[in-house]
Every structure is written in structure tokens, then in C-alpha cells.
Amino acid sequence: MNPKPSAGQLAAEVDTPVVISAFEEKSPTFTSLAVSLSEIRKLKGVIGYILRSETSALIDLANSKEIVDYAMLSSRIVESSVEIAKQFNIGETESILAEGTNIKVLCMDIGNNKIAIFMEKNASHFWIIKRILL
Amino acid sequence: MADDSHLALQAIIDEFKTLSPETTSSFIFKKNGGIISSDQDTSKEAIKNLTDAFNELSKKAQVIEGLESLTIQGVEGQINVTGMSSLYLATVSSRAADPKIVKSLTQVIVPTMVKLIDQTAPAAKEKELPQTVKPIEKKDSPKVGKQEKKSAPKPKAMSVGSEMFLPRPPVNQFMVDRISGFLVASDTVRIDSNVVMKWRELYGDNEIGWVNVETLEGKTVVCRFKPIKDQRSNGKGIVQIPEKIMLRLQTGKGKLVIVKPVVEDAKEKKA
């Protein structure tokens, strides 16, 4: 049986991923999420994703020019949503879905890892949530 | 927005807990943050914090072409903010809430009702139009005296005026059902015969030959229609659509569509 590929190996395999920083520590959760996200990225309608931990980041977006905009937006979505969630006492945030006119963003926190997946509006985010939580 | 519209929206909010008892908060706010209606249990401060955070986020969501909706799933509950033209509906539900009910309320029923309210509000204004239009007619066209009126051809503005007195087309929401077979016309949808009867009672001599079918995603088709003959299929809230039209609408069996009659003015037709 082949060992699971490391996130670094994955980065090389995905079409044009942009690795923002080297992986300083090998977190099994980060590696596992990277594998899941590389599979999700191949789904129809998925535009790209950002995976961040405290020490590493992996970004794969179709339009690399908008990386900064997407990264900033996903951070703001999480920050604002956490504030709103506190206000209405719905407990710790599991997932956030922000929908624009044509694109939607799914944000999730898995341990110390923050995920943002960008997809077309007709893509199934329910399936993606299930896949990540597997 | 008119007072009547406010009252209607408040009535929707008041009924929310009846329809979904697990919904702890619900309110409607404007894009600029103004609160249109809210339930009695939610504090104004909480509403303000949500609307401020949402509007701030919305301003920064250019990369996804604006923010239409936001769903926050928490361990103990869920917050939904759904865009409805220039308004937003926010609901907070506990984890026990049935997601299907919450989804149908927040994404189908309430937005459809708000759309209806939006449509009926301008209709009320239109009824007042003939009075306000009168001076403009005098300005643009030569003065038409009482005697001249009989002999002169009907001015165009008059025919426009007569259109205004037609009741606004009723909007019906149906669930899509597929219809197929040799004898099924591919350009004709079949509608509940009771609904068709009501349209005919409403419009009298004015002919209704076509209907406008619109999906919740905004795809529209204007096509011919027939009443459903089979009594078993009547009264079920379904519209039978042939494959060809379903493809054009990018819809499928079980999806919701809005159907409006396209009314031809009988007077105009005779002319």
C-alpha cells in the first residue's frame, strides 16, 4: 500500500497550485485535508481553495490574479460570522457559506486549519462539507 | 416601502415561529441596514450588530460580485441571511429545526411573498396613474374636446390607460411535473383547471393564450397552456411541463416555478 502523499508532493501534482509557504511541521490533519481538497478541486464547478494552518498555507485557485482578494474575503467572512454567531449564541461555528451572484464560498475550521473553498453557485457544497468531515 | 407592505412583512415575521417553532429570531432589513420588521424577542442591538457586520462584509465581497446570502452553521444553531431584491431576511434557528422547512421558508416562501408584495405595491400606485397622467396627455397631444373625442381616433394614451385597469396578473407557484407522450405538444404547459378558471373569471373577455413560466433562478419562458384534464392531477399545485420547456428553463421534476397569465386586452385585439 502506498503511503499518503505529503502536502508538498500534492502541491506539485495539482495543476497550478500556489504554495504560499513551506510546510514547517508535518501535521497529519493538514496533509489529510490537502488530499481531500485536491480531490474536491477536481469537481465540476469548484474554482479553487485556500488551506491555512498556523505555519503553512496551500492555495489553488483558477485565477491566480485574485488570490489576495479571495484570501482577504475568506478571512473577513470568518471574522464577521464568528462575531454574528457569538451575538446569537449558536455555539462554535462549524461551517459558513457566503453566496455571491455567481460564486459561493464555503469556509470551515478543522482544528487549527482554516479552509475556504470557492465554487460556482450550482456546485453542491453539502457534498463537499461531508467529504471534508469524513 | 408603503405602510401596507410593512404590515405584510411584519405579518410574515410574526408567523415565522408558528411555521418553524425552532426559529428563535427572524427579521427583515434593508441593504443600507434599516430594519423593516422584526420579531419581539430579538434585541435591536443584536439586529444592528448582524446588519452592520453583513453590510460591511457585503461591501467587501466584490470578488464574488456582491453578497446575496450568508449561512452560518453553529454547533447549537444556524443563522441564515437571504437576499430578496433590495431586502434581506435573517433567521436564527436552533439545531433541532428541520433544515428542509428552514430552507423552504427562507429561500422559497418568504422571498416569493416579498416579491408578490413588491409587485402589488406598484399596482396600487398604477391605479392612481390616470389622474396624474392627464395633464401630460394634454401637453403632448392636441387638446381633445368632448365633441372631438367621438370622431377622433382613439389616442394611444387612452389604450395605455385601458390596460392599466386590467387586474395585475395573479402569480401562482407550482411544483414541476414532467409530461410526455405522442399527443403532448412540446410547446404547451398544462395548468390546474381551477386556476385557469379563476384567471378567466378575473379577465372576462380578455384572452389568455399564453403564460409566463419563471423558475426561482430567474429563467423564464412564455408558452401556450392548457388546463389539466385529469381531475386527479388538479388541486395538487403542480404544473405539467414537457421536456423541451423544462430544458429551456433548466428545471426539473419537483422544482418550483412561478406562473403568470399573459393577458391580451380584448379592446385592443378588436382594434
Side-chain angles (χ1 to χ4, degrees):
Chain A
M1 199 178 149
N2 291 329
K4 273 189 177 179
S6 70
Q9 283 173 323
L10 262 168
E13 281 169 23
V14 178
D15 293 342
T16 51
V18 181
V19 182
I20 296 292
S21 70
F23 308 132
E24 288 174 8
E25 57 178 270
K26 285 187 176 177
S27 153
T29 316
F30 187 94
T31 311
S32 161
L33 286 170
V35 174
S36 302
L37 287 169
S38 70
E39 283 173 13
I40 289 166
R41 175 70 177 88
K42 290 171 193 165
L43 293 173
K44 198 184 169 192
V46 175
I47 297 162
Y49 64 83
I50 298 172
L51 169 62
R52 285 187 294 138
S53 73
E54 283 168 2
T55 55
S56 315
L58 184 63
I59 302 177
D60 180 2
L61 279 165
N63 189 352
S64 57
K65 286 177 188 170
E66 288 174 331
I67 284 176
V68 177
D69 293 338
Y70 277 119
M72 281 174 72
L73 177 66
S74 59
S75 294
R76 280 184 177 135
I77 289 170
V78 175
E79 280 168 22
S80 300
S81 299
V82 168
E83 283 304 308
I84 295 171
K86 270 185 202 166
Q87 188 74 55
F88 288 92
N89 302 317
I90 60 160
E92 203 178 319
T93 309
E94 284 183 347
S95 69
I96 305 156
L97 183 76
E99 294 187 63
T101 313
N102 299 310
I103 298 169
K104 60 185 176 183
V105 191
L106 172 68
C107 301
M108 292 175 82
D109 282 4
I110 308 287
N112 290 326
N113 304 290
K114 295 180 188 304
I115 302 166
I117 303 167
F118 302 88
M119 61 195 104
E120 285 167 12
K121 227 172 161 182
N122 55 3
S124 170
H125 63 272
F126 290 112
W127 190 90
I128 292 172
I129 293 173
K130 275 185 190 170
R131 179 68 188 83
I132 289 168
L133 295 176
L134 265 179
Chain B
M1 195 172 271
D3 282 349
D4 287 351
S5 307
H6 274 285
L7 287 173
L9 292 173
Q10 186 60 49
I12 295 170
I13 293 298
D14 292 342
E15 285 303 315
F16 231 99
K17 277 185 183 167
T18 316
L19 298 164
S20 173
E22 295 83 7
T23 299
T24 51
S25 276
S26 52
F27 50 93
I28 295 173
F29 62 96
K30 280 188 204 168
K31 260 184 184 168
N32 63 12
I35 304 163
I36 300 287
S37 55
S38 69
D39 64 322
Q40 291 173 344
D41 301 333
T42 312
S43 71
K44 285 202 171 165
E45 192 196 344
I47 296 174
K48 194 178 179 302
N49 286 345
L50 185 143
T51 55
D52 287 351
F54 186 85
N55 286 320
E56 199 58 36
L57 195 56
S58 187
K59 281 179 200 164
K60 286 159 186 168
Q62 303 296 332
V63 71
I64 58 165
E65 296 163 42
L67 192 57
E68 284 191 349
S69 73
L70 180 70
T71 306
I72 308 167
Q73 180 69 59
V75 177
E76 288 158 27
Q78 189 186 64
I79 299 170
N80 277 298
V81 183
T82 314
M84 310 173 294
S85 56
S86 61
L87 303 176
Y88 288 98
L89 164 71
T91 57
V92 183
S93 318
S94 74
R95 193 84 192 196
D98 185 337
K100 282 182 185 171
I101 293 176
V102 173
K103 196 182 170 188
S104 62
L105 277 172
T106 58
Q107 292 182 18
V108 182
I109 297 168
V110 178
T112 308
M113 288 171 88
V114 169
K115 208 175 173 183
L116 280 173
I117 292 165
D118 269 358
Q119 283 174 351
T120 48
K125 280 179 192 169
E126 274 179 23
K127 278 182 186 172
E128 293 164 12
L129 259 180
Q131 287 177 352
T132 52
V133 163
K134 260 184 183 172
I136 300 166
E137 276 176 28
K138 280 180 188 172
K139 219 178 193 180
D140 293 346
S141 57
K143 281 186 179 180
V144 183
K146 277 182 183 176
Q147 289 171 335
E148 281 175 312
K149 245 184 190 176
K150 286 175 188 172
S151 54
K154 200 162 63 173
K156 211 170 184 181
M158 287 293 283
S159 68
V160 171
S162 70
E163 256 178 33
M164 284 172 187
F165 290 111
L166 280 176
R168 223 177 158 76
V171 180
N172 298 81
Q173 189 168 284
F174 294 110
M175 192 176 278
V176 174
D177 193 13
R178 183 178 276 112
I179 185 168
S180 57
F182 283 118
L183 299 171
V184 173
S186 62
D187 62 346
T188 306
V189 298
R190 298 191 184 205
I191 290 163
D192 196 307
S193 57
N194 296 323
V195 174
V196 176
M197 207 186 292
K198 276 181 192 164
W199 288 350
R200 290 194 174 135
E201 279 171 14
L202 189 65
Y203 288 105
D205 291 339
N206 302 300
E207 195 173 301
I208 311 165
W210 302 77
V211 284
N212 184 312
V213 186
E214 186 179 352
T215 64
L216 298 178
E217 288 78 31
K219 298 262 176 203
T220 58
V221 161
V222 176
C223 60
R224 293 183 186 282
F225 75 97
K226 277 182 180 176
I228 296 174
K229 284 178 189 167
D230 185 2
Q231 282 307 313
R232 285 171 298 178
S233 301
N234 277 319
K236 285 187 176 173
I238 56 164
V239 57
Q240 296 176 332
I241 303 182
E243 190 71 37
K244 193 178 158 188
I245 297 176
M246 275 169 73
L247 284 171
R248 277 187 64 188
L249 287 168
Q250 292 177 7
T251 190
K253 192 178 174 182
K255 296 260 179 86
L256 293 170
V257 289
I258 293 162
V259 180
K260 281 188 284 188
V262 179
V263 187
E264 282 181 53
D265 192 341
K267 285 177 193 172
E268 266 201 351
K269 215 183 169 195
K270 277 175 197 169

